[in-house]
């Protein structure tokens, strides 16, 4: 076969698979160059240049080592030890083919489930910190764009442009009203690009495409279109100097008329449907036992005074000896009434969506070991109310009753809805607590119990031996699984009925919760979630389903048949690595370029409507508080962050500079793609290591002074959060807009990106350094000749609160001065140390609306 035929064969194969192997990239570029050289006036096919390439990882165990399993864990699967298992061949070598984006990827091999080793075949000069005092191997994936011939002046090569409407990263119906379009081009091959939308008759409306930051030889051009029709016809007009070409139906045309005749057509029907309200949410996560005591009549006995110093034993409660022997049993008396009493505080903060960790009956402070899935804990509602219920049968939902505590919770939901809040609750579907009635029945009656097949029984004993989330015979028994139903049929029926109960109490969805967060979601098979989603959406199509999945969660999100979003732990990891961690050899910190690359990789995991709905956390009930990560810059996210296992963890009070850095990170969080989520107390400056120190009682201004003198509300931090949240709610582009990178300057540690929706452009600039810097910020044509304001600067945008009598409004920002006048193509901007600036033209906010 001739070399030319080899090129053609490989190119055809790559078109079919839409994925290149690293070995084929060089040959493809030769073929693309030949196609460009033979270009004529007839239509030319667009190139098929995939965003990701295949790489084969291999591992050969040393002689004499017994290896049962090998997994590759890396930044491409959020370091999961199970997501990417390798297979062993007859010669003993382990291998797996993984699709990776171009650039550097850190990884390790995990042997036998828990033994982490470097790749002995990797280039040691590429090693970087693993955040644990060691190093990770890295692999460099070549970019096909960098292998292309250099662009020519006044010439547009079809081989240097890639658009595939079958790829949801390039063409995505976000909702019935919004269409996201994006194509990739070789860097320097285009000077301008627009999308031409055809309307009835001969009318064509032109929308500019925003150019992204150049990366590894390519850049993206894209936008989000607001569509008011059931379908849309469009083509692209590309310009490079004096050359103009038109892209339609997978071809490059020389005339607009030809492109019109072959325009792309998209029906405005989403493959993946997510709740539209969730992308406009600003979440606030509440740990009910530690948020506010609103009803002292239901206080546990004994309980700890709210202002009591955290590390001091409380003798009236019998606390003595090792701190960790009693701290997990501390009750402070937080309850549902306390949350309801503080809804005005939360309105003034500006949030509009509440996520409550479990509220069901349980002996623990955290309630992740429920004794019931159908009743609220009496410590959160009315003491003794559950004792008054009689005749309930877990197998018969018709016998289930509403306790007085349940009714307290339902009244809270109504009050929250009246004040403009959405409310979701947290449920562990894969396990229960030891006090769960059906499980107690199994312990008593063994095989004869009607619930015998509900649990993962190891042996019937006696005593019964069973699997639990926290180990054999632990406090959280695991539910039995089923290939057909996901969960054992009896468990499935019970959990389905409990779901209906809370989504639509007495059959009324308006009185129920607005969604459910799924604790330890991977413990439950996909078959269950597929069926359960259908149930949820049949009850309330607008209810949101948020899973707890720590690695990238494509398997649960990308088909639109299970979850709407997840708690975005990869987002928290990336933010920690850039904003908090220290850079250097064997250190976890990253610079602005790698930060930008990882953000793009994160967005590429999912359809854009999923990205928009992701719950973007910085911390949670399972991590240290974000502000304390600045005090521990050598620790990677989630690594060694508990005082009981790491006495060297710095749990001291953060400095004023560190609080400025927290504000900088919060400004970024409120600007990035996805719905930001605040862990209670972050907004008042609470700090601490991970569990239990991240679950201290909420700090309230009207309870000051606290018995510990360093515990207080940090007013400056609180005011910044209010300003940033108001900005998020006021700028629609931050909720729905296209994302693109503008700058990444390693020397000065500056990173900038934009969000764009229609005529609204928002510029976000991060100065992650202790020095002030002056930069030239590129500005889009539509903003030239106008004024931009920094929405995070109170001197330019003043926070205004709704009237006290307004039970639904939220704070808004009002223009305080003219801001920055944009004269030319770029704006000269001075950045303060450790600051985030968010620039946009003035848009008035709606002070009467929570959304």
């Amino acid at each position: 076969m001739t070399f030319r035929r080899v090129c053609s064969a490989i190119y055809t194969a790559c078109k079919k698979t839409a994925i290149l192997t690293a070995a084929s990239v060089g040959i493809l570029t030769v073929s693309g160059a030949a196609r460009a050289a033979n270009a004529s006036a007839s239509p030319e096919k667009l190139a098929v240049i995939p965003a990701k390439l295949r790489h084969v990882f291999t591992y050969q165990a040393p002689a004499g080592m017994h290896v049962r399993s090998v997994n590759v864990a890396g930044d491409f699967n959020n370091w999961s030890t199970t997501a990417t298992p390798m297979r062993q061949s007859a010669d003993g070598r382990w291998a797996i083919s993984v699709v990776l984006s171009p650039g550097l990827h850190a990884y390790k091999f995990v042997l036998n489930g828990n033994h982490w080793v470097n790749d002995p075949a990797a280039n040691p000069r590429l090693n970087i910190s693993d955040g644990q005092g060691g190093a990770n191997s890295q692999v460099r994936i070549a970019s096909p764009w960098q292998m292309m011939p250099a662009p020519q002046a006044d010439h547009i090569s079809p081989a240097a442009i890639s658009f595939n409407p079958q790829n949801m990263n390039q063409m995505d119906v976000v909702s019935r009203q919004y269409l996201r379009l994006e194509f990739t081009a070789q860097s320097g091959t285009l000077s301008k690009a627009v999308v031409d939308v055809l309307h009835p008759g001969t009318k064509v409306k032109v929308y500019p495409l925003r150019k992204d930051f150049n990366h590894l030889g390519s850049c993206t051009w894209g936008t989000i279109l607001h569509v008011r029709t059931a379908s849309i016809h469009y083509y692209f007009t590309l310009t490079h100097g004096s050359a103009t070409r038109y892209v339609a139906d997978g071809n490059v045309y020389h005339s607009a008329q030809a492109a019109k005749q072959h325009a792309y057509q998209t029906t405005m029907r989403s493959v993946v449907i997510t709740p539209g309200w969730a992308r406009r949410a600003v979440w606030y996560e509440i740990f009910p036992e530690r948020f506010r005591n609103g009803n002292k009549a239901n206080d546990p006995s004994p309980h700890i005074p709210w202002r009591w110093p955290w590390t001091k034993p409380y003798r009236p409660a019998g606390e003595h000896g090792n701190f960790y022997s009693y701290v997990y049993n501390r009750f402070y008396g937080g309850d549902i009434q306390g949350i309801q009493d503080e809804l005005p505080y939360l309105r003034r903060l500006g949030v509009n969506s509440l996520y409550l960790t479990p509220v069901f009956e349980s002996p623990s402070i955290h309630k992740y070991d429920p004794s019931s899935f159908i009743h609220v804990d009496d410590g959160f509602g009315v003491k003794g109310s559950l004792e008054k219920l009689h005749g309930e049968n877990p197998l018969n939902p018709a016998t289930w009753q509403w306790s007085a505590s349940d009714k307290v919770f339902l009244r809270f939901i109504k009050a929250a809805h009246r004040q403009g809040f959405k409310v979701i609750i947290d449920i562990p579907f894969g396990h229960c607590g030891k006090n769960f009635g059906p499980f107690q029945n199994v312990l008593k009656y063994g095989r004869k119990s009607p619930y015998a097949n509900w649990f993962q029984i190891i042996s019937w004993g006696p005593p019964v031996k069973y699997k639990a989330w926290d180990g054999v015979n632990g406090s959280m028994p695991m539910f039995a699984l089923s290939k057909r139903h996901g969960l054992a049929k009896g468990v499935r029926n019970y959990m389905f009925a409990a779901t209906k109960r809370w989504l639509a109490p007495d059959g009324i969805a308006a009185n129920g919760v607005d969604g459910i967060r799924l604790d330890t979601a991977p413990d439950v098979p996909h078959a269950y979630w597929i069926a359960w989603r259908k149930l949820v959406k049949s009850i309330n199509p607008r209810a949101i389903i948020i899973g707890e999945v720590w690695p990238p969660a494509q398997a649960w999100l990308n088909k639109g048949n299970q979850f709407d979003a997840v708690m975005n732990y990869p987002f928290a990891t990336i933010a920690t690595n850039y904003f908090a961690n220290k850079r250097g050899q064997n250190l976890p910190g990253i610079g602005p370029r790698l930060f930008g690359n990882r953000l793009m990789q994160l967005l590429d995991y999912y359809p854009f409507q999923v990205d928009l709905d992701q719950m973007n956390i910085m911390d949670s009930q399972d991590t240290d508080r974000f502000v304390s990560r600045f005090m521990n810059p050598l620790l990677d996210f989630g690594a060694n962050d508990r005082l009981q296992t790491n006495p060297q963890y710095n749990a001291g009070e953060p400095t004023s500079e560190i609080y400025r850095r927290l504000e900088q990170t919060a400004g970024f969080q409120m600007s990035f793609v996805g719905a930001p989520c605040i862990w209670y107390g972050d907004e008042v400056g609470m700090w601490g290591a991970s569990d239990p120190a991240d679950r201290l009682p909420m700090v309230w201004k009207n309870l000051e002074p606290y018995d510990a003198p360093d515990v207080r509300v940090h007013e400056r931090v609180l005011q910044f959060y209010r300003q940033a949240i108001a900005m998020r709610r006021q700028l629609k582009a931050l909720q729905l807009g296209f994302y693109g990178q503008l700058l990444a300057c390693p020397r000065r540690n500056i990173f900038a990106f934009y969000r764009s929706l229609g005529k609204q452009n928002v510029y976000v600039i991060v100065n992650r350094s202790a020095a002030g810097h002056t930069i030239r910020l590129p500005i889009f044509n539509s903003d030239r000749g106008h004024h931009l304001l920094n929405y995070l600067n109170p001197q330019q945008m003043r926070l205004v609160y709704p009237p006290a009598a307004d039970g639904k409004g939220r704070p808004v920002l009002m223009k305080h001065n003219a801001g920055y006048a944009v004269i030319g193509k770029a704006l000269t901007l001075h950045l303060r140390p450790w600051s985030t600036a968010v620039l946009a033209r003035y848009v008035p906010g709606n002070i009467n609306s929570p959304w």
Side-chain angles (χ1 to χ4, degrees):
M1 184 180 286
T2 66
F3 178 73
R4 193 178 186 88
R5 287 180 179 174
V6 170
C7 294
S8 177
I10 293 178
Y11 179 77
T12 301
C14 291
K15 279 185 67 176
K16 290 179 179 178
T17 62
I19 295 174
L20 299 178
T21 61
S24 73
V25 171
I27 297 177
L28 176 66
T29 58
V30 174
S31 176
R35 285 162 53 82
N38 294 326
S40 65
S42 60
E44 301 170 81
K45 278 288 184 184
L46 281 179
V48 180
I49 309 292
K52 298 184 178 182
L53 313 173
R54 285 202 178 274
H55 176 77
V56 178
F57 289 98
T58 62
Y59 176 74
Q60 181 71 58
M65 176 182 284
H66 179 57
V67 177
R68 300 184 307 276
S69 67
V70 181
N71 282 262
V72 59
D75 56 21
F76 42 85
N77 64 7
N78 207 34
W79 299 96
S80 170
T81 60
T82 58
T84 317
M86 303 174 73
R87 292 185 177 181
Q88 190 175 26
S89 59
D91 64 358
R93 187 177 298 272
W94 298 80
I96 189 171
S97 175
V98 180
V99 178
L100 299 176
S101 56
L104 285 169
H105 292 278
Y107 68 99
K108 273 186 175 176
F109 296 125
V110 185
L111 312 184
N112 301 330
N114 57 13
H115 181 50
W116 295 70
V117 299
N118 287 104
D119 183 351
N123 183 349
R125 289 182 296 179
L126 295 179
N127 285 1
I128 60 167
S129 165
D130 63 1
Q132 311 288 331
N136 288 320
S137 302
Q138 285 200 116
V139 59
R140 188 188 303 277
I141 305 299
S143 168
W145 300 97
Q146 291 175 310
M147 301 179 186
M148 291 182 173
Q152 301 175 30
D154 304 315
H155 176 74
I156 297 175
S157 169
I161 302 160
S162 180
F163 175 69
N164 178 9
Q166 304 305 314
N167 180 349
M168 290 185 72
N169 287 331
Q170 295 195 316
M171 194 287 290
D172 184 12
V173 180
V174 177
S175 68
R176 285 181 296 178
Q177 297 173 325
Y178 290 101
L179 174 68
R180 181 180 182 273
L181 295 173
E182 175 184 296
F183 69 80
T184 308
Q186 182 187 15
S187 299
T189 202
L190 298 177
S191 54
K192 181 182 177 183
V194 301
V195 58
D196 302 84
V197 178
L198 307 183
H199 290 270
T202 59
K203 185 179 178 183
V204 177
K205 194 164 184 179
V206 177
Y207 299 90
L209 299 181
R210 306 300 186 206
K211 178 187 174 185
D212 197 358
F213 187 75
N214 293 328
H215 173 61
L216 297 177
S218 71
C219 59
T220 58
W221 296 75
T223 190
I224 293 178
L225 297 176
H226 190 187
V227 182
R228 295 177 173 85
T229 54
S231 63
I232 180 174
H233 296 73
Y234 59 93
Y235 62 92
F236 301 105
T237 300
L238 314 181
T239 304
H240 188 213
S242 62
T244 300
R245 293 292 183 270
Y246 308 89
V247 174
D249 195 28
N251 294 304
V252 177
Y253 294 91
H254 287 249
S255 73
Q257 187 60 37
K260 286 181 187 180
Q261 294 173 359
H262 299 87
Y264 292 104
Q265 178 179 356
T266 296
T267 301
M268 295 300 293
R269 185 171 55 246
S270 299
V271 175
V272 177
I273 300 173
T274 60
W277 63 263
R279 60 205 58 163
R280 296 180 286 125
V282 180
W283 292 99
Y284 190 87
E285 182 185 357
I286 295 175
F287 195 80
E289 213 286 319
R290 300 289 168 82
F291 187 64
R292 186 78 188 206
N293 188 342
N295 179 9
K296 294 188 180 299
N298 63 19
D299 287 355
S301 180
H303 66 278
I304 313 299
W306 203 268
R307 290 175 288 195
W308 189 257
W310 173 249
T311 57
K312 186 177 179 180
Y314 186 64
R315 301 302 185 193
E319 293 185 349
H320 58 84
N322 183 282
F323 177 71
Y324 294 103
S325 69
Y326 58 77
V327 70
Y328 290 104
N329 298 315
R330 274 186 170 180
F331 286 87
Y332 285 82
D335 50 35
I336 299 301
Q337 188 61 51
I339 302 173
Q340 185 168 332
D341 290 346
E342 294 302 339
L343 290 178
Y345 164 82
L346 295 169
R347 290 204 321 267
R348 190 173 174 86
L349 178 61
V351 300
N352 53 22
S353 302
L354 307 179
Y355 154 35
L356 276 56
T357 58
V359 297
F360 298 144
E361 180 192 7
S362 158
S364 70
I365 63 169
H366 54 71
K367 312 301 181 195
Y368 283 103
D369 53 346
S371 307
S372 168
F373 291 82
I374 62 173
H375 292 303
V376 170
D377 193 272
D378 278 353
F380 289 162
V382 177
K383 183 177 286 188
S385 77
L386 292 175
E387 299 170 1
K388 299 178 180 180
L389 302 180
H390 301 286
E392 288 190 324
N393 180 355
L395 298 173
N396 184 4
T399 66
W400 299 354
Q401 304 156 47
W402 295 108
S403 72
S405 294
D406 299 337
K407 293 175 182 178
V408 167
F409 182 67
L410 295 179
R411 286 195 295 271
F412 158 72
I413 293 174
K414 288 184 178 180
H417 285 170
R418 282 196 302 270
Q419 297 183 48
F421 293 97
K422 300 287 187 181
V423 180
I424 68 170
I425 56 174
D426 197 342
I427 301 178
F429 279 78
H431 65 266
C432 60
K434 280 186 72 171
N435 293 343
F436 183 46
F439 183 73
Q440 285 294 311
N441 191 278
V442 168
L443 292 183
K444 184 175 182 179
Y445 296 106
R447 295 178 189 270
K448 296 180 180 180
S449 169
Y451 312 102
N453 63 351
W454 280 34
F455 305 96
Q456 296 187 34
I457 305 300
I458 299 172
S459 70
W460 290 102
V464 173
K465 186 177 181 182
Y466 58 91
K467 291 183 180 179
W469 188 85
D470 50 341
V472 174
N473 284 17
S475 62
M476 301 181 193
M478 298 285 289
F479 286 130
L481 305 181
S482 158
K483 287 185 178 180
R484 180 178 178 184
H485 301 292
L487 289 176
K489 188 176 180 180
V491 181
R492 178 186 127 140
N493 293 343
Y494 174 85
M495 297 304 288
F496 271 35
T499 298
K500 292 178 184 178
R501 177 180 175 88
W502 296 112
L503 281 176
D506 298 322
I508 305 173
N511 294 339
V513 296
D514 301 286
I516 298 175
R517 183 264 192 186
L518 313 171
D519 185 58
T520 61
D523 290 347
V524 178
H526 294 287
Y528 177 85
W529 295 129
I530 292 170
W532 185 78
R533 178 187 177 88
K534 293 176 182 177
L535 172 76
V536 169
K537 299 300 181 177
S538 71
I539 299 169
N540 181 0
R542 289 167 55 82
I544 190 166
I545 302 169
I546 300 178
E548 184 199 17
V549 183
W550 286 55
Q554 296 94 322
W556 290 268
L557 295 173
N558 283 14
K559 292 182 179 179
N561 65 347
Q562 294 177 70
F563 308 160
D564 297 309
V566 292
M567 291 184 78
N568 204 349
Y569 283 96
F571 172 82
T573 302
I574 296 167
T576 300
N577 293 158
Y578 179 62
F579 287 101
N581 288 146
K582 186 173 288 187
R583 294 167 61 188
Q585 187 173 5
N586 293 336
L587 296 179
I590 59 176
R593 286 181 178 168
L594 189 52
F595 179 56
N597 295 348
R598 290 188 179 175
L599 291 177
M600 285 303 303
Q601 182 184 51
L602 178 65
L603 294 178
D604 284 347
Y605 285 150
Y606 313 111
F608 194 62
Q609 58 268 43
V610 172
D611 289 327
L612 292 173
D613 283 13
Q614 290 284 65
M615 184 183 273
N616 282 351
I617 61 169
M618 307 301 294
D619 45 15
S620 74
Q621 72 274 27
D622 293 319
T623 74
D624 55 349
R625 288 196 178 264
F626 196 89
V627 71
S628 288
R629 290 180 209 154
F630 296 106
M631 308 282 286
N632 298 272
L634 305 184
L635 295 180
D636 206 347
F637 174 73
N640 226 358
D641 58 359
R642 297 189 181 202
L643 275 169
Q644 57 269 44
T645 56
N646 179 15
Q648 273 64 54
Y649 186 96
N650 185 349
E653 181 180 8
T655 64
S656 177
E657 179 181 82
I658 282 178
Y659 278 121
R660 283 200 301 274
R661 296 180 66 182
L662 172 66
E663 293 168 9
Q664 173 185 58
T665 310
F668 161 76
Q669 180 192 21
M670 295 294 161
S671 306
F672 190 66
V673 180
C677 181
I678 302 164
W679 173 229
Y680 83 95
D682 281 356
E683 79 279 10
V684 296
M686 291 179 67
W687 72 89
S690 189
D691 182 22
D694 58 336
R695 304 175 180 182
L696 272 65
M698 174 68 176
V699 179
W700 296 103
K701 186 70 176 177
N702 61 5
L703 293 183
E704 291 180 357
Y706 279 69
D707 296 340
D710 56 355
V711 176
R712 65 189 185 281
V713 171
H714 290 259
E715 291 287 354
R716 191 194 75 189
V717 176
L718 176 58
Q719 194 67 7
F720 180 88
Y721 267 89
R722 288 171 175 157
Q723 180 107 10
I725 293 168
M727 170 197 73
R728 171 82 188 190
R729 291 178 44 256
Q730 202 154 322
L731 293 174
K732 197 170 183 179
L734 295 184
Q735 303 165 13
L736 300 170
F738 192 86
Y739 170 89
Q741 188 173 320
L742 288 170
L743 294 172
C745 180
R747 185 173 58 85
R748 295 187 288 181
N749 216 342
I750 291 173
F751 180 78
F753 63 92
Y754 69 86
R755 304 290 305 281
S756 179
L757 185 69
K759 296 181 180 180
Q760 186 179 96
N761 303 306
V762 181
Y763 307 86
V764 183
I765 312 97
V766 173
N767 176 21
R768 192 215 173 279
S769 82
H773 293 293
T774 299
I775 66 166
R776 292 279 289 168
L777 180 71
I779 301 296
F780 295 124
N781 289 339
S782 57
D783 288 326
R784 294 170 192 170
H786 295 274
H787 284 77
L788 300 178
L789 297 113
N790 183 356
Y791 276 65
L792 292 180
N793 184 347
Q795 303 303 314
Q796 296 187 18
M797 295 293 287
R798 182 168 53 91
L799 196 62
V800 178
Y801 298 93
D806 185 341
K808 211 166 189 175
R810 301 293 192 275
V812 298
L813 298 172
M814 295 191 68
K815 183 165 60 174
H816 198 52
N817 64 36
Y820 306 100
V822 181
I823 306 300
K825 296 181 178 180
L827 174 68
T828 300
L829 182 69
H830 181 73
L831 302 172
R832 294 182 296 108
W834 308 120
S835 67
T836 295
V838 180
L839 308 184
R841 288 156 66 177
Y842 178 64
V843 178
N846 185 351
I847 202 168
N848 300 312
S849 171
W851 295 87

